[in-house]
């Protein structure tokens, strides 16, 4: 039935060895506020009308392979991209090499637990 919705995206959740630290990192990079309640771990509010949350759940499972999903953060211009990269590095990101070319228009970083993400120029 077209137009009817019985479900919607509520949250994207990540396993984290240090859920507080990882939530603090992403709150700093994305400028998000912490949700008041969370059943298990820490949740951040989306900061827009989408209404979803980013959840960080405690887990001691060791990361063995590359993540199947990653964030792509957009920028309005090269200066905005550079500011986003600098902010991410300030709160604990590291540059990551995933085989990107030296002249790539995006920057690949890893959060404090090694999850890779890209900061793109304007799309």
């Amino acid at each position: 039935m077209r137009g009817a919705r019985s479900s919607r995206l509520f949250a994207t959740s990540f396993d984290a060895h240090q859920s507080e630290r990882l939530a603090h990192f992403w709150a700093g990079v994305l400028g998000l506020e912490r949700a008041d309640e969370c059943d298990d771990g820490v949740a951040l509010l989306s900061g827009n009308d989408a209404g979803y949350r980013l959840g960080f759940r405690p887990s001691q499972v060791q990361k063995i392979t590359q993540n199947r999903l990653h964030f792509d953060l957009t920028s309005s211009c090269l200066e905005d991209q550079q500011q986003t990269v600098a902010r991410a590095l300030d709160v604990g990101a590291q540059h990551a090499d995933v085989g990107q070319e030296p002249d790539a228009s995006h920057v690949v970083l890893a959060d404090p637990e090694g999850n890779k993400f890209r900061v793109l120029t304007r799309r």
Side-chain angles (χ1 to χ4, degrees):
M1 176 186 224
R2 189 172 197 158
R5 277 193 318 181
S6 61
S7 61
R8 65 179 179 87
L9 178 64
F10 176 73
T12 299
S13 297
F14 300 89
D15 289 345
H17 292 144
Q18 297 177 354
S19 53
E20 287 283 343
R21 180 178 182 212
L22 204 55
H24 179 76
F25 170 83
W26 284 106
V29 171
L30 299 173
L32 301 180
E33 299 290 324
R34 187 178 177 135
D36 289 335
E37 80 290 333
C38 184
D39 292 337
D40 181 24
V42 182
L44 303 176
L45 301 172
S46 67
N48 61 35
D49 292 337
Y52 63 85
R53 297 168 180 223
L54 295 179
F56 302 91
R57 312 273 183 236
S59 173
Q60 294 310 310
V61 174
Q62 294 298 315
K63 180 178 172 178
I64 298 171
T65 62
Q66 182 174 329
N67 291 355
R68 294 179 68 177
L69 298 172
H70 67 266
F71 286 137
D72 284 342
L73 308 180
T74 60
S75 304
S76 59
C77 62
L78 181 58
E79 182 180 335
D80 184 38
Q81 180 191 36
Q82 292 168 340
Q83 289 173 355
T84 300
V85 169
R87 187 172 55 251
L89 293 170
D90 264 1
V91 294
Q94 295 182 16
H95 285 278
D97 182 0
V98 294
Q100 67 272 29
E101 298 294 324
D103 61 346
S105 63
H106 62 275
V107 177
V108 180
L109 300 172
D111 70 20
E113 294 203 5
N115 302 301
K116 305 207 177 34
F117 63 100
R118 299 185 311 167
V119 182
L120 310 171
T121 55
R122 185 175 180 179
R123 289 276 175 173

